[in-house]
Amino acid sequence: MPASKTAKPPARIQILAPAPMIDCGRFASKRCVGDTVAVSADIFSDGHDVLRAVVRFQAPGSKRWQEAPLRRIDAHIDGDRWAGAFEVTELGRYTWTIEAWIEPFAGWRDELRRKVEAGQADLSGELSEGVVLLEQAAKRCKGADRERIAAALSVLADAGATADDRHAAALDTALQDAVERHPDRSSSTVCEQRLQTDVDPVRARFGAWYELFPRSWGGLPGVRDHVPELAELGFDVLYLPPIHPIGLTNRKGPNNALAAAAGDAGSPWAIGDQTGGHTALHSDLGTMEDFDALVAVAGEHGIDIALDFAIQCSADHPWLTEHPEWFNHRPDGTLKYAENPPKKYQDIYNVNWDCEDWRGLWDALLEVVRFWADRGVKVFRVDNPHTKPVAFWEWLIAKLRAEHADIVFLAEAFTRAAMMKMLAKAGFNQSYTYFTWKSSKWELTDYVTELASSGMQEYYRPNFFVNTPDILTEELQVGGPPKFASRLVLAATLSPSYGVYSGFEHFERVPVRPGSEEYDHSEKYEIKQRALDGPLMTLISRLNAIRRENPALQRLDNIQFLGTENEALIAYAKRTGENTVISVVTLDPANAQEGVVVVPYSLGLPPVFTVTDLLSAESFEWRMGRNFVRLDPYRVAHLLRVA
Amino acid sequence: MPASKTAKPPARIQILAPAPMIDCGRFASKRCVGDTVAVSADIFSDGHDVLRAVVRFQAPGSKRWQEAPLRRIDAHIDGDRWAGAFEVTELGRYTWTIEAWIEPFAGWRDELRRKVEAGQADLSGELSEGVVLLEQAAKRCKGADRERIAAALSVLADAGATADDRHAAALDTALQDAVERHPDRSSSTVCEQRLQTDVDPVRARFGAWYELFPRSWGGLPGVRDHVPELAELGFDVLYLPPIHPIGLTNRKGPNNALAAAAGDAGSPWAIGDQTGGHTALHSDLGTMEDFDALVAVAGEHGIDIALDFAIQCSADHPWLTEHPEWFNHRPDGTLKYAENPPKKYQDIYNVNWDCEDWRGLWDALLEVVRFWADRGVKVFRVDNPHTKPVAFWEWLIAKLRAEHADIVFLAEAFTRAAMMKMLAKAGFNQSYTYFTWKSSKWELTDYVTELASSGMQEYYRPNFFVNTPDILTEELQVGGPPKFASRLVLAATLSPSYGVYSGFEHFERVPVRPGSEEYDHSEKYEIKQRALDGPLMTLISRLNAIRRENPALQRLDNIQFLGTENEALIAYAKRTGENTVISVVTLDPANAQEGVVVVPYSLGLPPVFTVTDLLSAESFEWRMGRNFVRLDPYRVAHLLRVA
């Protein structure tokens, strides 16, 4: 007998399928400060008892349990789904669970009401049961509630009261409220799972990123000088590829040439030389003081500096001699450079995660991130995290979060979906996506729907980069400026976080060879002369302003795709509170495309309403149903704010 | 550091989302003897290591772990889903989990192959690594495998061997097979969940049920006399409503009249009088010897006797006086009869599950079921289980299963879906369904799809009763004989288990009043004269034979709905091995209906094939694509076996 050692029979309430729950509670869901956690569960019991339920939650570091009510959602297909919410206001890990109990007075009252309404004659037996329940409730409270219960009891005990008087006293809703404010929860049922929600800064969800190689901008002082302009353009995060010393041994030349010529700059991802490794600065970029000044100026302008965390070493990295035991060796004792046969990466050595001193290696890597975090870096873009152990990331991110709860880790993993999801579950606050390769309306709709509503929205926060130093898509190579504009609007309006790698605004689109996504004369291997004067910067700046002014564009889970009756036109609405933005973007900006935007009833808009195009400032009368649209190479999108 | 106490770093393999898993492993999935358990999981690691995985399982009562391989399903969208299966051959609870490990030799071999194919020159460093792996493998095996590995090692060590010789020796697939037969699993990863699968007799999934009130058939001896004919008609289970003494106090009269007249039979669900309760027989039905004889004769004819387990007592049940503490009382000490206000059930007393002696009550109820199980009853149809505690059912069914692993419990719960599912998860082997109220093509398709492929198929086994003593649907009332035939074919071909309550074959369809689903002069309150001579019995018998001859009709999870281009025609294919049956049924049998059956490519049939109608014995040439069909009141269905 399951509970043979206890006086009471086993719990009669079932609490199943709590949400959000990721892998049976193994991982935490994610929110940002100020968000709400919408909680739900199947809650039911045998028989006809009336149930009550709450979500109970602990803020980070707090022992105190707070709670918020759950209510049955009658519209749910099963009829036994309950839902509620609590707000998260502090950075860190919240713990929560669900508790439910039987409210016998509510059940008794409901039965009495039905009998009274059916005109049943003698209900004295029923009332005698109510007296017992009320007497128990009175013992649990004091003050006004106790007085109200006592008053009801005195009517029920009054020999002179009529049956109608007694029924009215027993069915008084204020009486029920008084009783329910003091429930007997001694036999309540608590959900088996203790669930967790990690609360991050808003930056983890929403931001416009700009990526630049400092060596093309006059080093760290030059970058610092551009900060005010970047802030003016509306960027929130300035992401710098590795700023550390670059190895000389086996240095790659322009266009990834096997041998560098004298004076070739090398790839910043071949980290380390005799002057230092992951905690050193490339001497050409500036001093640690220059770095601190950049972080400080950026902070004054509301911009976060994002550093690149790439766990790999050049042949000249100090660790190769100080800690050869951390690297892969052949049986003859020689070190092994990185390979993905038949490709060879002779300028890079990967660490050996299975080495005996793995603890020393993990600690050293933690020290690297801690070093920069202690200097004020709040954002880390992690290079290829999917080729490192997941357990390492889970440990490292938890360690850093304990010291700096406002840090954001962006996972640069372009690999199979299960691993990309896994890294987000393990703690990465934001993730690169497949966006660059989603071109057609079907692909975009399907992919964004998965990100926004398949369950991924609970833990996976996308960052839609339009390009990267590694990714110049064929679409951009052949589509030219209108395609650049179209992809830019898609990224900035589909995803709360999006990014641009310097050069995009100049329409840079020459590949190293046909069929390659690598840039010709990639900045990865060469120093360029850069400035913020690209012709697309006006649109970028306008989009950044629009994103800041419209809360609806700062979320992903509020998206609803709309019909257009044209495969070359994609439309979607986002709504947050009173703010509704309908985006219409052409996927074929080389040609004029006409279609409609179908505004469904479910969007909750009036039959006729005014929309203002936030790009052109024009206004239109729109209506529920079909609305004509036309886009062409000179106008690739409407961003329509509903008045 | 997560594993700071161990010498090795934490596991690098992730095993997520194992299936079948019900509520995070809280409940067991279900299979029948001879079934396979198709197991799958997301299995992946960082980097490029080659993984191997198995499902490990223990048969009921066995300490021995057996295993079956899992393989990566490359077609899966994530690319990291692995799948495999094991067969269950014994009744009882299987335990299983998933284990995965890195196979370093396979990874090394794959890299070597790619380098050889790319024509890379000096691979001696690579080969030296292979030697280490082969030497380790050799230590793990003996016999032919060890000899094969030793032979390869000698080629690799032979100074006279050419590079081609060495590469060929290293890449030999027989060598790889030999190494992989002896993997190093000392660092393997085991799935966090220990999962369970309950294995039942095939009867739990497949069977034709016939329900009759013994008092209308000459008592237990009369029923026994009908057994050979019932077997001839193809029934597998004979379900008897309660056969116990019926209370006299407050006995209900015909048509549920509040007061019975002298001689009125009463409802069999008002259990118990001064002669006994749940372990006694109604004296009019026969003796315990008659009962034993019925069970024995049924067994000889391959028929299971199903008893009704209804936990409620008439006013005259011995428990009311022997154990008044098991029942609900008012504060004045009087017993409370059952109510669902404003409805009153004055002839029935429910037990009080929250009483102090709940253990005594549970034990007494267990003794009731055990009493009949010990007399050879293998099937229990449980009345209204949703108004009793789930924990009680989980305990009772587990107790009985431990003594009689071949017992089948059918849950008669018509309530909200969450509770119906819950009872199945708690252990009920079979469940009533909403089938009787699913009329339209959309409703039937949607509901059966949910049962067959939403995850419910792992634990919820439907029994499609066409009618019950409580359910005479409006559809039958107005549809007449053709509708009876249509509903019969749907039940018998959609669900592996289906049931008929006596009278259906006579087209009984007069309700007690308009709008009611109760029969006029229901057999629940009156004795009838019954025989197996209803005009629909010919079709029932034919359907039962067809179901036995076609394994495809004995499963639910193999169903695929087919287009018909007519809302009044529903079509579905079931395929098991070489046996394919396409059913086409009219939902509007009052009129002729024409349409097509669209045979899709995915059904795996040849472009042109012959089908034989198992009802009419006609044959037709069918083809992939659209096939004309016409059904009318005289032919309500085609059951087409593909040749």
Side-chain angles (χ1 to χ4, degrees), chain A residues 334-581:
Chain A
T334 56
L335 282 171
K336 286 178 68 176
Y337 53 76
E339 289 184 281
N340 185 14
K343 287 192 203 166
K344 301 179 178 188
Y345 305 100
Q346 297 95 334
D347 59 339
I348 285 175
Y349 289 77
N350 285 324
V351 302
N352 177 8
W353 295 98
D354 294 323
C355 71
E356 281 196 20
D357 186 35
W358 61 274
R359 290 189 201 86
L361 173 63
W362 285 30
D363 277 330
L365 292 167
L366 173 62
E367 284 308 317
V368 168
V369 186
R370 186 181 273 148
F371 175 88
W372 296 107
D374 288 346
R375 295 198 97 86
V377 175
K378 300 281 179 218
V379 184
F380 292 90
R381 176 270 198 194
V382 177
D383 194 74
N384 280 328
H386 56 290
T387 59
K388 286 85 186 173
V390 171
F392 166 72
W393 294 120
E394 195 168 7
W395 170 83
L396 180 108
I397 294 172
K399 279 277 189 189
L400 259 290
R401 282 182 69 87
E403 299 166 18
H404 301 275
D406 58 346
I407 283 188
V408 173
F409 285 90
L410 166 64
E412 188 246 9
F414 296 107
T415 184
R416 296 201 300 265
M419 178 53 98
M420 291 176 70
K421 292 176 184 175
M422 181 74 227
L423 290 164
K425 293 173 184 175
F428 278 91
N429 314 84
Q430 202 176 89
S431 307
Y432 279 73
T433 71
Y434 299 139
F435 167 70
T436 38
W437 302 290
K438 302 295 179 185
S439 307
S440 71
K441 182 174 169 177
W442 181 85
E443 286 172 319
L444 285 163
T445 305
D446 187 63
Y447 186 56
V448 173
T449 300
E450 185 192 8
L451 290 170
S453 59
S454 69
M456 280 181 81
Q457 75 277 11
E458 300 292 356
Y459 62 89
Y460 194 99
R461 297 198 190 96
N463 191 331
F464 278 10
F465 265 81
V466 289
N467 68 330
T468 80
D470 301 312
I471 307 173
L472 167 66
T473 60
E474 187 185 17
E475 207 180 6
L476 294 176
Q477 295 172 30
V478 304
K483 187 53 111 174
F484 276 67
S486 163
R487 295 293 299 180
L488 179 70
V489 175
L490 288 171
T493 56
L494 282 170
S495 177
S497 288
Y498 86 107
V500 171
Y501 156 55
S502 166
F504 184 87
E505 68 272 27
H506 291 278
F507 308 121
E508 287 188 2
R509 60 184 186 279
V510 181
V512 66
R513 59 184 169 276
S516 171
E517 290 192 340
E518 290 283 339
Y519 286 89
D520 188 32
H521 287 284
S522 168
E523 201 175 1
K524 290 193 287 187
Y525 312 104
E526 300 179 41
I527 298 176
K528 308 276 177 179
Q529 292 305 317
R530 296 286 199 183
L532 292 169
D533 56 0
L536 204 53
M537 215 40 127
T538 313
L539 179 57
I540 293 174
S541 169
R542 183 75 202 112
L543 286 169
N544 287 343
I546 291 169
R547 286 161 44 88
R548 288 186 179 176
E549 289 158 9
N550 291 277
L553 295 177
Q554 299 170 17
R555 307 200 70 92
L556 177 62
D557 56 4
N558 59 348
I559 197 165
Q560 184 174 353
F561 285 93
L562 309 178
T564 62
E565 301 182 8
N566 180 339
E567 282 304 293
L569 297 177
I570 189 167
Y572 38 93
K574 287 186 170 187
R575 178 170 197 166
T576 292
E578 290 303 299
N579 182 231
T580 302
V581 177

Side-chain angles (χ1 to χ4, degrees), chain B residues 103-330:
Chain B
E103 182 51 84
F105 183 77
W108 171 85
R109 182 183 178 278
D110 183 54
E111 292 207 356
L112 181 74
R113 182 187 52 75
R114 285 192 276 164
K115 291 176 180 177
V116 169
E117 287 173 0
Q120 291 187 10
D122 178 18
L123 297 176
S124 58
E126 283 76 2
L127 290 172
S128 72
E129 294 177 298
V131 166
V132 173
L133 294 171
L134 287 171
E135 285 171 350
Q136 290 167 346
K139 288 180 192 161
R140 293 193 297 269
C141 59
K142 49 191 174 183
D145 287 342
R146 185 163 191 162
E147 282 167 27
R148 185 177 294 277
I149 294 169
L153 281 168
S154 69
V155 174
L156 295 178
D158 181 359
T162 65
D164 282 351
D165 290 343
R166 292 175 195 207
H167 300 165
L171 296 175
D172 181 16
T173 55
L175 175 66
Q176 179 173 21
D177 292 344
V179 171
E180 292 215 15
R181 271 191 287 270
H182 311 279
D184 174 13
R185 286 162 63 171
S186 60
S187 300
S188 68
T189 300
V190 179
C191 176
E192 289 189 357
Q193 284 92 356
R194 284 278 173 111
L195 295 158
Q196 299 182 307
T197 298
D198 281 342
V199 178
D200 296 330
V202 172
R203 177 68 61 242
R205 182 184 72 233
F206 172 65
W209 289 50
Y210 191 71
E211 173 176 1
L212 60 77
F213 286 75
R215 64 188 182 186
S216 299
W217 296 75
L220 298 173
V223 174
R224 185 194 60 214
D225 292 343
H226 282 91
V227 163
E229 200 180 349
L230 287 164
E232 188 72 22
L233 291 166
F235 289 107
D236 304 295
V237 181
L238 178 58
Y239 156 44
L240 313 179
I243 53 179
H244 315 301
I246 298 173
L248 196 60
T249 307
N250 291 325
R251 176 177 287 190
K252 297 290 179 87
N255 281 336
N256 203 22
L258 198 54
D264 282 346
S267 163
W269 283 276
I271 294 170
D273 68 8
Q274 69 285 355
T275 69
H278 285 76
T279 53
L281 288 177
H282 194 293
S283 57
D284 291 353
L285 297 180
T287 64
M288 209 51 91
E289 289 68 39
D290 293 328
F291 181 80
D292 292 342
L294 169 59
V295 171
V297 170
E300 287 161 17
H301 286 83
I303 288 180
D304 288 325
I305 298 295
L307 287 193
D308 198 305
F309 184 42
I311 303 180
Q312 57 211 17
C313 297
S314 84
D316 308 318
H317 195 290
W319 284 354
L320 265 69
T321 45
E322 293 168 10
H323 295 283
E325 69 276 15
W326 291 350
F327 297 86
N328 290 297
H329 297 76
R330 298 208 187 282

